[in-house]
Amino acid sequence: MFFNDIPALYFTTFLSFFLCLALTPVVRLVAIKKGWIAYPTKDRWHKKPTALLGGVAIYLGIAIPLFFIADFSSILPHIIRTSDHIALPSIGAVIWIGMTLLFFLGLLDDFIHIKPQTKLVGQILVASMVTFLGFRLHWFSSLTVDTTLTIVWIVGIINAFNLIDNMDGLCAGTGFIAASYLALLYAGILPEATLVSVIIAGALAAFLFYNFNPASIFMGDCGSLFIGFILSMLCLYYPEAGAANVMSLYAVPIMILMVPILDTSMVTLIRILSGRKASVGGKDHTSHRLVIMGLSEKGAVLFLYGIGAISGMAALFVNKSDTLTSPAVIIPLALSIILMGIYLSQIRIYPEKEFSALRGKSYTPILIELTYKRQLMLVILDFCLIAFAYYLSYRLRFDANEFPVYFKIFLHSLPAVIACKFVAFFVVGIYRGVWGYMSTNDVLVYLKASALATILSVVTVTYIYRFEAFSKGIFVIDWFLTTGLLLGSRVSFMVFSDTMKRKTLAGKTVLIYGAGRGGEILLREILNNKRLKIKPVGFIDDDKLKTGKTLQGYPILGVFKDIKSHLDKYKISGMLISFNNKDPQKLKAIKEVCKANDLFLKQFSVHLEDIDLEI
């Protein structure tokens, strides 16, 4: 067939790229002349008027080459139904029809803003057409359940890509990465699916020239809807590639589309729990939260590109691996994504209280335990980490031939090992610490807990199984992994919390005079008390040897006599004295500088006051 011809494959790929590359500026020019412009609003991210309808160029760049390679005649047997056993129609033909219907649906919405329920009906009709033609996820043996879930999958991914079209280049770039991995996934196995993948990758790569920050044109709903549809269909086609194992059948499609799935799931859940409508736009998406943390807009988009790329690589690995090996990639990726979702969900976007829709209900105490004290979440996390560390120990210890034999031993002993480790953790007291804080003493507690957990595990395994068919190396590897995962997870909480505090600091910029113990305590107070509305840019100190070094991540800029060179550079509003030395001459010099440069001056001190016990 046409798509088995390698030169023709390259030709159609470059055709989609150059069509979109050439048509996008034409569409942009027409949009500007006709006034089809997206203007900044309170619930939108962009800051300047930007041309719309870039989806028209993307559609033409994909639809034209796809039209010539799609076999539309393969759809007729499904309409006429001459037999109960009919091969799947050309995926190119089905995608072309579906994307065209969604393109016009999105175009209609871009012009007259149709109601969300109307769009949803149109999406469901397209998804129903796909299932009518025989495409299914094959996740369940029940035809009814699997068909229903397939419709939900298609509609969900369509809306997921529509939702991530909230920042310059995010939707197009995420789609390009997913399409590229799908092309690699199907290469040499499903030629037509490979061709469709490279065609959409080519068109999206071309559109990024105009849509990446700063964007000169937006794709609009007429682009994001059908992009989501095409990628949902290509992932839906994965069973035809012959999944290496049952686990990959479920995991690969989700990992390929991890970024839109993560964003949509998190945004929808938080909006519902916060009493806001999930269908209403806003600045609470994953990308927006990353910017609030302190990343630039480009940085946030590139960060999400990175997640998509890593998740795509994991999908390729799982596709080639067996059921016993796949968890070594799936579990850490899932834990990382869950932790990131938890981190980002803590960032306050709107003034209402988090989870306000649940407050005051009968299950509020459970909510508080999960979201405020967080200890229950830590226990659940540790359960996953313990099981994964023990599994990975076996995977590292035994080669591919030995592992299936020892996997049975792993399964039999896993419950005992989990029980022993939790007993050790509770006895030593790792859950008594305060969330988000960690000291040297806490590190020692974790080391003792992990060591005791390993000793108890060895004793228990020896008692129950007489240590038959066990390897001593397993428990050595397991101790290193358990210790590393425990400390790593706790440190990640601290790092995220500290980073978020630093990046979201706002207020008057100040210099801290004194880079000693007092300066460190003052800095911690500033980071933990936003009511001060102070943002430090660095330290100055009388000790020349400290110049050029950092204290808690903030630079020591120089000595006091160098202060004037920093005032304009950092736009300093005031100075904070962090030491208690009240040398009159030094204090006079500080006051003179502050007065001459219109700076405010404050002194920090920690002191204890006696309280009169008389009532």
Side-chain angles (χ1 to χ4, degrees):
M1 295 183 71
F2 178 74
F3 42 77
N4 280 328
D5 187 350
I6 298 298
L9 187 145
Y10 284 130
F11 171 75
T12 52
T13 304
F14 285 113
L15 178 62
S16 67
F17 177 85
F18 287 114
L19 274 174
C20 187
L21 192 68
L23 290 172
T24 301
V26 176
V27 171
R28 179 178 175 273
L29 184 62
V30 173
I32 292 173
K33 286 186 175 182
K34 295 290 185 179
W36 299 331
I37 306 293
Y39 293 97
T41 59
K42 288 183 179 180
D43 62 343
R44 298 300 176 190
W45 189 256
H46 64 284
K47 300 293 191 298
K48 63 179 182 178
T50 307
L52 280 170
L53 303 183
V56 174
I58 302 174
Y59 172 77
L60 294 173
I62 296 172
I64 292 173
L66 190 58
F67 179 81
F68 291 104
I69 61 101
D71 183 7
F72 292 97
S73 63
S74 63
I75 297 177
L76 291 176
H78 290 267
I79 299 174
I80 301 171
R81 289 287 172 182
T82 57
S83 171
D84 291 334
H85 302 285
I86 308 172
L88 285 176
S90 161
I91 188 174
V94 176
I95 284 178
W96 194 93
I97 294 171
M99 69 176 283
T100 300
L101 293 174
L102 288 169
F103 167 71
F104 284 108
L105 178 68
L107 199 63
L108 188 64
D109 185 51
D110 284 332
F111 278 112
I112 64 173
H113 300 291
I114 58 179
K115 294 180 180 179
Q117 57 266 34
T118 305
K119 277 202 300 184
L120 184 61
V121 169
Q123 294 165 12
I124 292 174
L125 290 175
V126 172
S128 299
M129 176 201 72
V130 170
T131 56
F132 172 78
L133 294 174
F135 291 91
R136 291 193 294 117
L137 280 168
H138 296 284
W139 284 3
F140 293 94
S141 57
S142 169
L143 182 62
T144 303
V145 174
D146 202 50
T147 300
T148 304
L149 190 62
T150 301
I151 293 174
V152 172
W153 166 267
I154 295 171
V155 173
I157 299 302
I158 289 172
N159 284 286
F161 272 89
N162 186 227
L163 285 173
I164 66 168
D165 187 25
N166 56 63
M167 196 169 280
D168 294 355
L170 182 55
C171 182
T174 302
F176 166 74
I177 292 169
S180 299
Y181 278 114
L182 285 165
L184 293 173
L185 193 69
Y186 294 140
I189 304 172
L190 298 172
E192 188 178 10
T194 305
L195 183 58
V196 175
S197 300
V198 295
I199 286 175
I200 184 173
L204 292 176
F207 187 68
L208 276 173
F209 279 90
Y210 308 98
N211 186 238
F212 194 71
N213 185 271
S216 60
I217 187 170
F218 295 153
M219 65 173 65
D221 282 8
C222 66
S224 60
L225 294 183
F226 76 76
I227 289 172
F229 169 74
I230 296 174
L231 293 171
S232 71
M233 277 294 297
L234 288 170
C235 288
L236 194 68
Y237 204 52
Y238 178 64
E240 301 301 313
N245 59 79
V246 176
M247 197 173 293
S248 67
L249 187 66
Y250 302 94
V252 169
I254 293 173
M255 288 191 290
I256 289 287
L257 301 179
M258 179 60 75
V259 172
I261 290 174
L262 166 67
D263 180 75
T264 303
S265 302
M266 187 177 75
V267 169
T268 303
L269 182 62
I270 293 175
R271 284 181 182 176
I272 291 173
L273 295 183
S274 297
R276 303 184 72 247
K277 291 183 178 180
S279 59
V280 176
K283 299 179 180 179
D284 55 348
H285 289 269
T286 310
S287 52
H288 303 145
R289 292 172 185 272
L290 289 169
V291 172
I292 292 171
M293 275 182 58
L295 293 179
S296 65
E297 187 172 330
K298 285 183 181 179
V301 171
L302 291 173
F303 180 84
L304 292 173
Y305 284 178
I307 291 176
I310 292 170
S311 188
M313 284 189 283
L316 294 181
F317 177 85
V318 170
N319 177 61
K320 297 292 184 181
S321 304
D322 56 31
T323 307
L324 300 178
T325 306
S326 296
V329 171
I330 295 173
I331 294 174
L333 178 65
L335 286 175
S336 300
I337 294 298
I338 290 169
L339 283 175
M340 190 183 79
I342 293 171
Y343 292 155
L344 293 177
S345 66
Q346 296 177 55
I347 298 174
R348 179 72 67 87
I349 305 294
Y350 297 108
E352 68 264 20
K353 290 183 177 180
E354 294 90 346
F355 308 116
S356 57
L358 299 183
R359 292 182 181 272
K361 306 296 183 182
S362 59
Y363 38 77
T364 296
I366 300 174
L367 172 70
I368 292 173
E369 179 66 28
L370 281 168
T371 60
Y372 181 68
K373 294 183 179 179
R374 299 179 174 93
Q375 300 300 347
L376 182 57
M377 193 192 76
L378 274 180
V379 173
I380 296 171
L381 173 63
D382 288 346
F383 174 83
C384 298
L385 295 180
I386 290 168
F388 177 66
Y390 193 51
Y391 163 80
L392 193 57
S393 301
Y394 274 85
R395 203 69 195 85
L396 293 173
R397 174 65 179 81
F398 301 109
D399 60 28
N401 296 323
E402 295 175 313
F403 184 69
V405 177
Y406 285 95
F407 185 70
K408 296 177 181 178
I409 300 170
F410 158 77
L411 290 177
H412 285 128
S413 59
L414 178 61
V417 170
I418 290 174
C420 288
K421 291 195 174 185
F422 269 119
V423 168
F425 290 174
F426 277 100
V427 168
V428 176
I430 67 171
Y431 299 115
R432 294 180 201 143
V434 178
W435 173 277
Y437 295 91
M438 196 170 185
S439 64
T440 306
N441 185 63
D442 292 315
V443 174
L444 293 175
V445 169
Y446 281 103
L447 291 174
K448 286 191 289 185
S450 182
L452 179 60
T454 299
I455 293 170
L456 281 178
S457 299
V458 172
V459 170
T460 303
V461 165
T462 302
Y463 179 77
I464 298 175
Y465 303 103
R466 299 295 185 269
F467 215 83
E468 294 177 2
F470 283 89
S471 168
K472 295 177 182 178
I474 287 291
F475 293 95
V476 174
I477 298 170
D478 179 61
W479 179 81
F480 278 107
L481 290 174
T482 302
T483 304
L485 289 172
L486 279 175
L487 290 174
S489 62
R490 271 51 173 191
V491 169
S492 72
F493 298 148
M494 289 180 57
V495 170
F496 173 81
S497 178
D498 187 64
T499 301
M500 191 167 62
K501 288 173 184 175
R502 292 169 186 265
K503 295 293 187 181
T504 55
L505 267 183
K508 295 180 179 179
T509 54
V510 298
L511 274 175
I512 299 176
Y513 191 175
R517 183 63 177 167
E520 181 189 11
I521 296 172
L522 172 57
L523 180 59
R524 289 185 182 277
E525 177 63 20
I526 293 171
L527 292 174
N528 289 287
N529 189 355
K530 290 188 177 181
R531 289 176 298 177
L532 296 173
K533 295 182 179 179
I534 290 173
K535 183 178 181 181
V537 297
F539 295 86
I540 55 171
D541 195 275
D542 293 331
D543 187 353
K544 292 183 179 181
L545 296 177
K546 292 182 179 180
T547 301
K549 297 180 180 179
T550 61
L551 177 61
Q552 294 291 324
Y554 284 86
I556 302 173
L557 301 171
V559 295
F560 178 71
K561 67 178 182 180
D562 300 327
I563 189 172
K564 291 184 179 180
S565 63
H566 304 305
L567 297 181
D568 292 332
K569 181 179 179 181
Y570 296 101
K571 297 180 180 178
I572 304 299
S573 300
M575 188 184 303
L576 306 180
I577 301 174
S578 67
F579 49 84
N580 291 322
N581 184 354
K582 301 203 175 181
D583 180 357
Q585 292 299 115
K586 182 183 291 187
L587 190 57
K588 181 182 178 182
I590 296 172
K591 288 180 178 179
E592 288 176 351
V593 169
C594 290
K595 189 174 182 179
N597 293 279
D598 195 25
L599 306 178
F600 67 81
L601 179 64
K602 296 183 180 183
Q603 183 159 22
F604 173 75
S605 65
V606 178
H607 62 279
L608 300 174
E609 290 184 358
D610 291 325
I611 296 178
D612 189 355
L613 298 179
E614 293 295 329
I615 299 175

